[in-house]
Amino acid sequence: MGAVSLKRNDSSSVLTVFPESLPETVRAVISSYPHLVGITATHVANSIELIYSFDNWKGEMKHLLVSLPEKGAAVESISSQIRGAYIYEMEIRDMFGVSFIGHPLPNAKLLLPESYPQGAPPPLLKTVSLEQLMQILNEVQMQEPPSSVIPITGSSRYSVESIVILPFGPYHPALKEPEHFAIALEGEKIVEARPRIGYVHRGIEKLAETRSFLQTLFLVERVCGICSFHHSWTYTLAVENLLGISPNKKAEFLRTLVAELERIHSHSLWIGLLGYWVGFDSMFMWLWSARERIMKLLEMIAGNRVNKSFITIGGVRYDVSDEKLKVVKREISEFEKEFRRITEEVMSYGPLEERTRGIGIYHADTAISSGAVGPVLRATGVPYDIRKVEPYGAYPEVSFDVVTGNRGDVLTIAEVRVKETFESIGIIQQLVEKMPSGNPVPSAFFMGTSKDGEAFARTEPPRGELYYYIRGKVGMRNPYRVKIRTPTLPNLVLASEAIKGYTLSDVPLILTMIDPCFSCEDRAIVYINRKEPFIVKLPRAAPQGIGLGCSL
């Protein structure tokens, strides 16, 4: 599991739907499959294909396939049935030019600059080259800077006298990365918030279509600096399924080991940041100091702390010796003692509890409708964890519990992440004890060609479910389409809901509770301020007999 081929002739998992029947079909599907995993768009010949993917909380998925003509592509919005769909639809509207009838923000952009020319081709159409896209963006940049203001709704339902629209970001001391929120205030109370992303777009999905399967592996690793390994692992799972490649058992164990170390370092980082946001700087420094032990383990295993470059198609790039595994066992035991001591101290600290309990309250229904994933969803009692419902790697070989909470707020999410860290420690200890023998490194790196087909893969990074869709065409050395749905995108919809009813002073804390990674969301456009456009020229396929590197 962890990766599955999309079989269009299997009507039990893939339903072909006429555009006019989509709302009715979605209404029937979500009664059994309530979780909208994502919406994937692909430009094929003269049409745009949309795949709506749903899960029933048990790892069983249902896909709805809708085909639209390229010219004038339009379909009914499903955001009135599933709130979280609106942000996926905005992404597709920007990138593929599809209109969603009845969308709550019919004219607002999500990713493209506000000044992106009307009538210019959407960036992810196959007929748009990288050179053409860069020329458009360069002209836009020279003519008019992007607007910093976005509408709160399509048609204002607030009176001018009672409401103040406050821009929050994109550059703000409370934000680690650029992000813009239009926040509607009635007095001091927040009544609505709309996110605007796209400030750090990097063109990863577009670039992936121009690089070989192996090169794309190093590219997707740069989607996120915190859970970089999970991105490369999820992509690899989808590619291996598409190409029919299986790693050996030791490779699965080592992949799982690195993934759990990554979860610990991510959770420790976030818990420390929580202390920083509430003014408890000692908590921040204690957690980050303890986390350093994990970062050194990652460096020892992979040679890198951020972009590990540890995985490859068919296995891993390096074996890990028994001596290094002994170091992992010793250091993870020391980390457990230190982490337990720190968290027992800080989580029982009265001012921290007073500042986080009851802040950003949301219920399971809101989280589900928003499409929320990860600790944010589990904090409401929904035990949805891809490691359990769709096991991959070595997770079937180890025992662990899915941690849940009983109320959705900042404090509960913190408690969930603390407990999940201890579960990860237990998983790592089991992996070291049960580590199989064998050579996990493939005899040669994959530099072959694809075959016709589609595959998707899901994993459970620290922030929650990550989804990759890969489409291949026979004879091509590069993917025809790579779609990435990161956990922050649906969680951002939830944060925009949870923020309502609170005051501006709570905004940084509520946004932080989802552990946002805005760079994860932004993957589509390279935007460089130069007199001449900076153009990345790469062949669509690697020349025969020539090994390509992965330099950007």
Side-chain angles (χ1 to χ4, degrees), residues 245-320:
I245 298 173
S246 300
N248 70 11
K249 192 171 182 179
K250 186 170 186 182
E252 297 281 29
F253 269 64
L254 291 176
R255 291 175 175 185
T256 310
L257 175 66
V258 173
E260 290 307 311
L261 286 171
E262 192 170 79
R263 188 181 318 280
I264 293 175
H265 109 65
S266 177
H267 279 4
S268 302
L269 181 150
W270 181 86
I271 299 166
L273 281 174
L274 177 65
Y276 175 77
W277 294 128
V278 301
F280 190 178
D281 284 353
S282 296
M283 174 179 170
F284 168 73
M285 289 184 281
W286 290 338
L287 266 301
W288 278 47
S289 175
R291 168 178 167 268
E292 188 62 20
R293 192 185 296 272
I294 302 300
M295 301 305 289
K296 288 179 179 176
L297 284 180
L298 287 169
E299 187 175 359
M300 178 191 73
I301 291 173
N304 299 294
R305 294 160 60 100
V306 179
N307 294 317
K308 287 86 178 176
S309 299
F310 182 67
I311 197 169
T312 193
I313 298 168
V316 295
R317 298 182 71 208
Y318 315 103
D319 197 359
V320 178

Side-chain angles (χ1 to χ4, degrees), residues 347-360:
M347 296 305 289
S348 60
Y349 183 55
L352 177 70
E353 182 178 350
E354 290 175 13
R355 185 67 186 91
T356 55
R357 181 185 290 278
I359 299 297

